[in-house]
C-alpha cells in the first residue's frame, strides 16, 4: 500500500475508534470476558496493544512490529497467559482490520477502476496477513524462549537444592543423593561438590548412594571424575549405601571407585564410626 493510503486507513480506523473496539470485542470470543483480568494480573492492556499492533501492520513498520511482538511474548510468558488466548485475540484483530479496510475501500471504490480495485485489495491482503503472521511468529519465538529459559533456571535451582551438602562437623560433611542421576544432574553435582568443598573447607565428604538404584554407563564414568576432583582438592571421599543393582553393573563394566574413595556399608554405620573416632 502507498503511504498516503496507509495514512488514510489509519485515520479511518482512529476516527471510528470506539466502533472498532466494539467490533473487535465481538470477534474476540472468550478473550473479551478476560480483558480486565489480564489487565489486573499482568498489566497488559489488550485494546491499547491491539491499536499499536494494527498501526505497525498497516503502516508496514516491520522492525517496530517485531520488537513489539517480542516484548509481548515475554510479558505473556512471564504472567503465564496461554497461547490459545493470544491466538484467539490476534485472529480477532485480523478479522476486525479486514472489516474496517473493507469499509474504507467501499467508500473509495467509485474513484478507481475495477483493475485498480483488485490490485489494491491484493496489496492490502498481502501486507496485513504478512504483518500479522510476522507478529505471531516473533511472539511465539519470544514466548517459547522465555519459557525455556525459565524452565532451565527453575530446573537448575531444583537440582542445586537436590544436592544438599550437610556439615556434621567443621571439616566433615554428608551428601545424601536420591532419585535418578542423569547427565544433567551429575554436572550439577560436580559443580556443587567442588564449590562447597572449597567454600566450606571440607576434608571428608561422605556421599550416601542408598537412594540411588541405578546409573547409566556415562553417569558412572562421570561420577568417577567427580570423585577424582574431590581427591584433587585434598578432600577424602567416602561412599556409603551402594545398592546391589549398581554394584553388579559396575562389576560387569569392570568399574571401581576404589582409586578415589573408600566405601562403607551404611551411612549410619559410617557416622557412628566417625564420631567414635573423633
Amino acid at each position: 500500500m502507498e503511504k498516503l493510503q496507509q495514512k488514510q486507513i489509519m485515520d479511518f480506523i482512529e476516527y471510528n475508534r470506539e466502533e472498532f473496539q466494539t467490533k473487535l470485542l465481538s470477534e474476540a470470543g472468550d478473550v473479551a470476558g478476560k480483558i480486565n483480568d489480564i489487565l489486573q494480573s499482568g498489566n497488559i492492556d489488550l485494546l491499547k496493544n491491539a491499536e499499536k499492533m494494527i498501526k505497525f501492520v498497516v503502516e508496514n513498520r516491520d522492525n517496530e512490529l517485531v520488537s513489539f511482538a517480542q516484548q509481548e511474548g515475554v510479558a505473556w510468558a512471564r504472567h503465564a497467559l496461554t497461547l490459545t488466548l493470544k491466538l484467539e485475540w490476534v485472529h480477532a484483530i485480523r478479522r476486525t482490520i479486514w472489516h474496517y479496510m473493507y469499509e474504507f475501500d467501499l467508500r473509495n471504490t467509485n474513484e478507481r477502476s475495477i483493475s485498480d480495485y483488485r490490485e489494491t485489495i491484493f496489496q492490502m491482503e498481502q501486507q496485513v496477513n504478512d504483518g500479522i503472521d510476522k507478529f505471531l511468529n516473533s511472539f511465539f519465538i519470544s514466548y517459547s524462549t522465555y519459557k525455556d529459559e525459565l524452565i532451565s533456571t527453575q530446573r537448575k535451582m531444583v537440582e542445586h537444592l537436590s544436592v544438599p551438602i550437610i556439615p556434621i562437623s567443621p571439616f566433615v560433611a554428608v551428601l545424601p543423593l536420591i532419585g535418578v542421576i542423569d547427565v544433567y544432574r551429575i554436572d550439577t553435582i560436580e559443580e556443587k561438590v567442588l564449590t562447597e568443598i572449597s567454600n566450606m573447607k571440607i576434608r571428608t565428604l561422605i556421599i550416601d548412594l542408598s537412594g540411588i538404584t541405578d546409573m547409566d554407563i556415562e553417569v558412572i564414568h562421570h561420577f568417577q571424575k567427580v570423585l577424582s576432583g574431590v581427591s584433587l582438592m585434598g578432600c577424602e571421599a567416602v561412599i556409603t549405601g551402594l545398592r546391589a543393582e549398581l554394584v553388579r553393573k559396575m562389576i560387569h563394566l569392570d568399574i571401581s571407585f576404589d582409586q578415589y574413595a573408600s566405601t562403607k556399608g551404611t551411612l549410619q554405620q559410617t557416622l557412628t564410626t566417625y564420631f567414635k573416632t573423633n
Side-chain angles (χ1 to χ4, degrees):
M1 289 184 286
E2 297 176 356
K3 289 192 177 296
L4 177 59
Q5 190 176 46
Q6 293 171 354
K7 185 178 186 308
Q8 290 173 335
I9 292 172
M10 278 310 305
D11 288 344
F12 179 71
I13 291 174
E14 289 171 358
Y15 181 78
N16 295 281
R17 186 170 181 267
E18 291 186 6
E19 291 84 354
F20 186 95
Q21 290 184 352
T22 301
K23 174 66 176 174
L24 175 56
L25 292 174
S26 71
E27 294 282 351
D30 293 338
V31 184
K34 298 178 181 179
I35 282 183
N36 288 332
D37 292 338
I38 292 173
L39 179 61
Q40 291 176 2
S41 64
N43 195 29
I44 299 172
D45 190 328
L46 291 185
L47 289 173
K48 182 179 179 180
N49 289 352
E51 291 178 5
K52 186 181 292 188
M53 172 189 166
I54 291 164
K55 189 174 183 67
F56 292 153
V57 168
V58 172
E59 296 180 356
N60 205 23
R61 293 156 61 179
D62 284 353
N63 291 337
E64 291 165 281
L65 179 67
V66 169
S67 178
F68 178 60
Q70 292 169 344
Q71 293 171 15
E72 283 270 276
V74 171
W76 279 66
R78 181 181 293 129
H79 296 288
L81 299 172
T82 68
L83 292 176
T84 303
L85 280 177
K86 187 63 174 182
L87 197 57
E88 185 176 353
W89 180 244
V90 172
H91 284 326
I93 293 172
R94 190 195 300 266
R95 291 190 296 269
T96 306
I97 291 178
W98 266 109
H99 173 80
Y100 273 85
M101 292 183 78
Y102 174 75
E103 291 292 328
F104 170 82
D105 209 65
L106 281 180
R107 302 185 187 194
N108 293 275
T109 50
N110 294 333
E111 301 175 8
R112 300 193 301 274
S113 66
I114 293 298
S115 60
D116 288 340
Y117 174 74
R118 287 175 178 170
E119 179 66 21
T120 301
I121 287 294
F122 175 77
Q123 291 176 353
M124 290 165 57
E125 177 185 15
Q126 187 177 38
Q127 180 172 320
V128 170
N129 287 334
D130 285 354
I132 291 177
D133 290 342
K134 186 174 293 183
F135 175 90
L136 282 174
N137 184 58
S138 299
F139 174 88
F140 287 140
I141 291 174
S142 178
Y143 184 100
S144 298
T145 300
Y146 183 88
K147 281 289 189 182
D148 289 345
E149 290 174 351
L150 182 62
I151 290 170
S152 177
T153 300
Q154 290 174 339
R155 178 177 179 179
K156 190 170 184 179
M157 184 183 300
V158 170
E159 291 293 352
H160 273 278
L161 291 173
S162 70
V163 186
I165 297 180
I166 306 165
I168 59 172
S169 78
F171 302 110
V172 180
V174 176
L175 170 59
L177 294 174
I178 60 172
V180 177
I181 298 183
D182 56 14
V183 175
Y184 178 87
R185 192 177 178 202
I186 195 67
D187 282 336
T188 305
I189 291 171
E190 177 182 328
E191 178 186 349
K192 184 76 175 287
V193 164
L194 298 183
T195 300
E196 292 304 312
I197 287 174
S198 176
N199 291 341
M200 299 168 64
K201 311 300 182 186
I202 299 171
R203 294 180 185 172
T204 302
L205 179 64
I206 304 169
I207 305 173
D208 182 51
L209 299 181
S210 59
I212 304 296
T213 57
D214 195 13
M215 294 184 193
D216 64 31
I217 298 174
E218 186 177 358
V219 171
I220 292 174
H221 283 297
H222 197 150
F223 189 70
Q224 276 188 314
K225 294 179 181 178
V226 173
L227 295 176
S228 174
V230 171
S231 178
L232 287 172
M233 295 194 70
C235 179
E236 176 194 5
V238 179
I239 296 176
T240 66
L242 276 171
R243 301 181 68 163
E245 299 91 334
L246 182 55
V247 171
R248 279 197 296 269
K249 176 178 282 190
M250 292 171 62
I251 290 172
H252 288 297
L253 293 172
D254 195 24
I255 294 175
S256 172
F257 296 148
D258 292 346
Q259 183 179 352
Y260 306 110
S262 59
T263 56
K264 305 292 183 182
T266 67
L267 177 61
Q268 183 177 7
Q269 292 169 346
T270 304
L271 291 178
T272 301
T273 301
Y274 174 81
F275 283 120
K276 281 181 180 178
T277 305
N278 294 273

